[in-house]
């Protein structure tokens, strides 16, 4: 299932469909939402020897994002939620300000700890963060609670929904990094999430600014 601003029926991904999608590797990997299908695509790409060196890093990031122990969990989505909590704490009455160590800890857990001068690793981490942004925005558009007006009386207009999602991207993608004053390398988080929002909602790209 790929990213969209509207809810879709999830098609079955059989072997034939998987091979067809591999013709568009690696774009198909970054348009797929289901972690299990992403792994199948990655496994098949390795069998076909498609971008083998890059796939080593892709698999490393995959294993960071979707740990094997227990049910499939998305540590990137968890980082988003944790950063939202950190920002909320910062805004509380008794807050002493944003703690950069908390922010760096969350981002290091999803791959920033290895981010250095390796341009290939940087590019692939960016793609994974971009995927997170597209996923999160798409999930918001499908969540009835998120898209509902107060007390559930009706739904937000397309414009108001885009602005609501954009405000959250501005907070989590931009403000968290700016307020915590972390190292420059963590701006990759901002760059990737901003790009994802702008690609999904191009008419509202001014909502996210750094």
């Amino acid at each position: 299932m790929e990213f969209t601003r509207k809810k879709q029926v999830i098609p079955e991904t059989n072997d034939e469909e998987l091979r067809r999608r591999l013709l568009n590797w690696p774009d198909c990997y970054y348009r797929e939402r289901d972690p299990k299908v992403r792994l199948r695509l990655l496994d098949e790409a390795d069998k076909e020897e498609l971008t083998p060196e890059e796939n080593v890093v892709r698999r490393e990031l995959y294993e960071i994002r979707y740990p094997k122990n227990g049910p499939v969990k998305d540590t990137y989505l968890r980082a988003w939620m944790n950063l939202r909590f950190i920002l909320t704490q910062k805004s509380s009455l008794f807050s002493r300000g944003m703690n950069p160590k908390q922010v760096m800890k969350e981002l290091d857990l999803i791959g920033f700890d290895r981010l250095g001068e390796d341009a290939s690793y940087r590019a692939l981490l960016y793609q994974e963060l971009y995927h997170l942004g597209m996923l999160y925005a798409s999930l918001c558009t499908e969540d009835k609670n998120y898209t509902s007006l107060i007390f559930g009386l009706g739904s937000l207009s397309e414009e108001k929904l885009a602005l609501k999602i954009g405000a959250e991207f501005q907070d989590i993608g931009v403000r968290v990094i700016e307020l915590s004053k972390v190292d420059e390398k963590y701006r990759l988080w901002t760059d990737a999430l901003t790009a994802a929002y702008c690609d999904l909602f191009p008419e509202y790209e001014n909502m996210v600014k750094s």
Side-chain angles (χ1 to χ4, degrees), residues 35-54:
K36 294 180 180 178
V37 177
R38 296 189 83 201
L39 182 58
R40 288 176 63 194
L41 286 167
L42 183 55
D43 287 342
E44 287 300 316
D46 280 343
K47 290 179 183 178
E48 297 294 329
E49 298 184 347
L50 303 174
T51 63
E53 293 183 2
E54 291 182 356

Side-chain angles (χ1 to χ4, degrees), residues 91-150:
S91 303
S92 67
L93 181 62
F94 302 103
S95 172
R96 296 182 180 180
M98 184 83 71
N99 185 341
K101 290 184 178 180
Q102 288 182 300
V103 174
M104 289 189 293
K105 178 181 178 181
E106 291 299 330
L107 296 180
D108 284 347
L109 286 172
I110 62 172
F112 277 83
D113 57 334
R114 266 203 55 196
L115 186 60
E117 300 300 321
D118 187 338
S120 178
Y121 182 86
R122 181 182 183 85
L124 293 172
L125 178 57
Y126 175 96
Q127 289 287 347
E128 202 64 33
L129 296 171
Y130 178 92
H131 181 277
L132 166 67
M134 296 292 281
L135 174 64
Y136 187 81
S138 295
L139 291 174
C140 288
T141 65
E142 298 167 7
D143 188 326
K144 290 184 179 180
N145 292 325
Y146 196 95
T147 60
S148 295
L149 295 169
I150 190 169

